[in-house]
Amino acid sequence: MVSPDLLDYRIFGGRVYSPCEGWVDALENQRPDTIPGQPDLQHQPGNYVRLNCGGKMILLAHLRQGSVVVSLGERFFSGQLIAEVGNSGNSLEPHLHVDVADNGMELAISFDGRPALINALFSVNGK
């Protein structure tokens, strides 16, 4: 059951689409969405999908419990529905956390923004 507090956030339940094409490297889908302000510090990314997009790994984290619609090892395309925005893991309020790393590098929840070019359409920079 979803906490009524989560429904106050317009982004909660928003659709998350793949920014690239590749295959699903790892995922978690059963962590509960937490009450805003009460993060789950034991499971940093909460529900997540890790995408292998050729030379880059992309982590989509804090997804809504049970919303992931791709499977481990599945091939996907750019713009394909992946999941919904949630509030799982170490999250104070519903949002989508995106982290990008080169293949072979550690990919984890971080807060040091790095630029990323996604499908040559736009640049993302967290700083």
Side-chain angles (χ1 to χ4, degrees):
M1 185 166 134
V2 174
S3 162
D5 294 336
L6 291 172
L7 300 176
D8 289 339
Y9 293 84
R10 288 180 50 189
I11 194 169
F12 184 78
R15 293 180 176 177
V16 176
Y17 299 95
S18 172
C20 57
E21 56 184 67
W23 56 277
V24 178
D25 182 67
L27 64 83
E28 172 65 55
N29 194 28
Q30 295 306 314
R31 298 274 172 221
D33 288 291
T34 62
I35 296 169
Q38 298 180 19
D40 175 357
L41 301 177
Q42 300 301 312
H43 304 100
Q44 291 288 319
N47 298 310
Y48 68 91
V49 176
R50 190 171 63 202
L51 308 173
N52 184 321
C53 299
K56 300 288 182 193
M57 300 293 287
I58 299 177
L59 178 71
L60 305 172
H62 308 307
L63 303 173
R64 185 175 183 174
Q65 182 180 21
S67 74
V68 174
V69 297
V70 291
S71 303
L72 186 62
E74 180 179 337
R75 294 206 56 81
F76 57 85
F77 55 88
S78 180
Q80 179 176 334
L81 179 65
I82 298 291
E84 295 177 3
V85 175
N87 195 50
S88 58
N90 186 12
S91 176
L92 292 172
E93 61 186 22
H95 71 284
L96 175 63
H97 183 106
V98 179
D99 204 5
V100 179
D102 291 326
N103 279 352
M105 306 261 322
E106 182 64 29
L107 182 64
I109 296 291
S110 66
F111 301 98
D112 59 334
R114 294 179 297 266
L117 192 61
I118 300 175
N119 286 346
L121 295 177
F122 59 90
S123 173
V124 176
N125 188 345
K127 288 188 178 184

